[in-house]
Structures are given as structure tokens and as C-alpha cells.
Amino acid sequence: METLRPPLLAGPDEALRREVRAVIVGRIALITLVTAMAAAFSDRIAEPAQNIPLSFLVVLSAGLAVAYHRAAKSGAPLKSLLATQLIVDVAVISYLLLFTGGASSPFVPLYLLAPLLGGIFLSVQGGMLLAGAGAVAYAVLYMAERGGMLPPVSYGMTERLSESALKLRLILYLPLLVVVGAIGGALGRTLREGRRALDEARAELSRALFDTETILENLSGGLVTVDARGVVRHWNRAAGEILGRPASAVRGRPYDTALGEGFEEFTARLRETLASGVPAARHEARVRVGGRDVPLGISTSVLVDADGGRRGVIGLFQDLSDVKALEDRIRRG
């Protein structure tokens, strides 16, 4: 058994900080991929003037990532920062769609990411808010498409869709955004509840481990635990006082090497139980500590796992010097 220490638990702020970093990194990767796809499937990108919109998009995304990272390091409210990122994402996606076909763009499904992430990382209300922002942005693109107000330069993989196809896409995507936001919110709530339950379980385990450690350290008798490989995993304070070996000199080392000469009878008891798997009760052994012989009373038991396999040995022992002295006085009468 290893030394027990209460684990450090990551709080909700740290979890949210990781989520903010993930969104920052994910945005750069996604925008880079989408921009490369738009450029690869365009037959007009060879003209230098045509590179400006997509180049600006990449530079803008990189600049935003740097700004978000600095804001997170400066202590900005993480939820507000994450919400800002997702709202700005709707604008960035709209800019991308503006130059890749507008409402006809093959990248319209990117609008679904903001409400999904908003629902997962923020709340159901956050998912709904971002679904509304995406719906408004897409409706504006649809009206611009119908009014012929989109820029003539377009990158991407499709031509303009017909009026009926645009209407069908509008009818499908507006409710789909709301549904995705709701799904993201429900998923986020489930994840948060699961994380909360896990944190509570970890906290309870920490308390149990701490209590166990306290009990073992305050036993009046010595306690040693040795794993199946013969390595000392626990050595309480009384063990150090009785045998003159501090825990730092014993833990993590093979028991026979850590104890060495003068402890042969003591280590023999551990070795026998470790080899046979048979516990031993109320045996006596003599050890040499600080130049004097110390009589010990020692009992051993076997550590087993849930499947019944042997994991090691526990040894409990006491200094019998006072008991032996009393017996001698009684015998001398």
C-alpha cells in the first residue's frame, strides 16, 4: 500500500480554462482547414487580388486567438470570454460564407458549431442565444443572396443554389440551429452533473484516504506494508521509532535491503508470509537497534485484491522490552 495523500482536485475554473484553450486552438485548426479547402477548390485563387479575403480571415483568426489567450492569462472572466469567442465565431463564419457562396456556401454547417459548443460549455440558454445569432446571420445572408448583394468573387465548391433550394436550406437550418443548441445544452448539463458527481466522489475519497493515513500514523504499534515485489509501501511513525529507521529511509525500497543486518528474524516473518500467503499471528523476533537487542511481537496478514490475488503483506509489531523486563522481575520473585 502506497503512502496515502489527498489528491489535488481540479476546480471548475481550471476545467473551464481548459475548455477556453481548446476552443482557441480548435478555431485556428478549423479556420485553417476550411480556408485551405476553399482555396483548393477555387479556380480564381491564382489572381493575387483574390487572395485578400481568405488571407485576411486567417490573419484575423490568428489575431483573435492571441487576444483570447492574453485575456485568459490576464484573469478575464472565463465564461464571458468563452461566450465572446463563440459569438465572434458566428461573425467569422459569416465572413467566410460571404466569400464562399453566401447562403449557397458548402460551409453553412459551420453555423451549427457555435450553438453546440455554447450549449455544452455554457448552458442551454447559451446554446439558444448562439442558435439565434446563427439564425439571424444566416437569414441575412439569405436575403443578401436573394437581393444579389453578395460580392462577385466567390471561392469554394458550389455554384449559387436555386431559389427553391435556398428556401429549403433556410427552412431546414433555422430549426436545426435551435435543436443543436438544445442538444448541446442537454449534453453540457449531463457532462457538468457527471463532473460534479466525480468531483464529489474524489473529494470523498480524499477524505477517506486522509482519515486512513491519520489512523495508520497514530497507531501505537508499528505497521509496515510490503507489496508483492517486496517493496515497502507504508511505514508508520511507530515503526520508525521502534526499529530506528525513519520512513524516508525505508519507503519505496525492498524491505530486506532497507532494514539490512540485524533484522533477519523480522524480515524472515515478512518473507514467509509473502511466499506462502499464510498469515502468522503472535510470533516473536529479535532485532538489533542502536547496539541493543529489541524483542518484538509480530503478526502478519496477507493483502489481497478483489479477485483474491495476493498484493502483499501487512506486518504489525510491538516492542516487547517492557513486557520481557516485567516477566524477568516476576520470575526472579
Side-chain angles (χ1 to χ4, degrees):
M1 182 169 61
E2 297 185 9
T3 303
L4 305 177
R5 293 284 185 267
L8 297 175
L9 302 180
D13 282 350
E14 181 58 32
L16 190 58
R17 195 176 303 278
R18 289 196 298 268
E19 291 164 1
V20 170
R21 287 198 295 264
V23 172
I24 292 173
V25 174
R27 173 187 298 100
I28 286 292
L30 181 62
I31 291 298
T32 301
L33 175 62
V34 170
T35 302
M37 290 173 61
F41 287 91
S42 175
D43 57 358
R44 306 176 66 181
I45 197 68
E47 303 175 30
Q50 311 303 326
N51 293 323
I52 295 175
L54 292 184
S55 300
F56 175 74
L57 179 63
V58 174
V59 172
L60 174 65
S61 298
L64 287 172
V66 172
Y68 294 144
H69 179 69
R70 289 183 176 176
K73 289 185 65 176
S74 68
L78 295 176
K79 279 201 171 184
S80 299
L81 179 59
L82 186 56
T84 300
Q85 291 185 68
L86 295 174
I87 291 172
V88 172
D89 279 353
V90 174
V92 171
I93 292 169
S94 299
Y95 176 86
L96 172 67
L97 266 57
L98 189 64
F99 292 97
T100 57
S104 303
S105 172
F107 302 118
V108 169
L110 292 176
Y111 273 133
L112 299 174
L113 288 176
L116 178 63
L117 295 177
I120 292 174
F121 294 143
L122 299 174
S123 63
V124 176
Q125 292 81 1
M128 292 295 99
L129 174 64
L130 289 158
V136 170
Y138 186 58
V140 170
L141 280 175
Y142 171 75
M143 298 302 296
E145 181 92 0
R146 289 192 62 187
M149 294 181 289
L150 294 182
V153 176
S154 176
Y155 308 93
M157 296 176 281
T158 57
E159 300 295 333
R160 304 283 191 192
L161 297 178
S162 65
E163 179 65 21
S164 59
L166 283 175
K167 285 183 180 179
L168 178 60
R169 180 179 275 195
L170 183 68
I171 293 171
L172 289 175
Y173 269 97
L174 294 187
L176 183 58
L177 286 165
V178 176
V179 170
V180 169
I183 291 174
L187 180 58
R189 182 169 57 245
T190 301
L191 292 174
R192 284 188 291 274
E193 290 173 355
R195 181 184 296 159
R196 190 180 304 113
L198 180 60
D199 287 343
E200 290 173 358
R202 284 177 174 172
E204 185 62 32
L205 177 61
S206 294
R207 288 190 291 269
L209 293 177
F210 180 75
D211 291 343
T212 302
E213 173 80 1
T214 302
I215 291 169
L216 295 180
E217 281 300 305
N218 287 282
L219 287 175
S220 59
L223 179 141
V224 57
T225 60
V226 177
D227 67 17
R229 296 180 295 115
V231 176
V232 177
R233 293 304 179 187
H234 194 84
W235 184 266
N236 72 348
R237 183 172 58 245
E241 293 171 354
I242 293 170
L243 299 183
R245 294 286 195 279
S248 59
V250 179
R251 281 177 178 160
R253 299 179 59 193
Y255 67 91
D256 48 358
T257 303
L259 295 175
E261 188 177 352
F263 293 85
E264 289 82 3
E265 292 185 26
F266 179 80
T267 56
R269 297 300 179 194
L270 297 176
R271 186 179 303 108
E272 288 171 6
T273 303
L274 195 61
S276 66
V278 178
R282 293 186 292 276
H283 283 276
E284 290 190 13
R286 285 193 172 271
V287 297
R288 191 154 187 84
V289 180
R292 66 184 183 91
D293 287 339
V294 177
L296 299 178
I298 179 171
S299 298
T300 60
S301 58
V302 181
L303 274 173
V304 296
D305 56 26
D307 298 324
R310 275 181 279 171
R311 294 187 57 191
V313 173
I314 300 175
L316 292 170
F317 54 94
Q318 288 183 320
D319 185 346
L320 299 181
S321 296
D322 293 340
V323 174
K324 294 297 183 182
L326 179 60
E327 289 176 351
D328 287 343
R329 285 197 297 272
I330 293 173
R331 279 196 300 270
R332 288 196 299 267

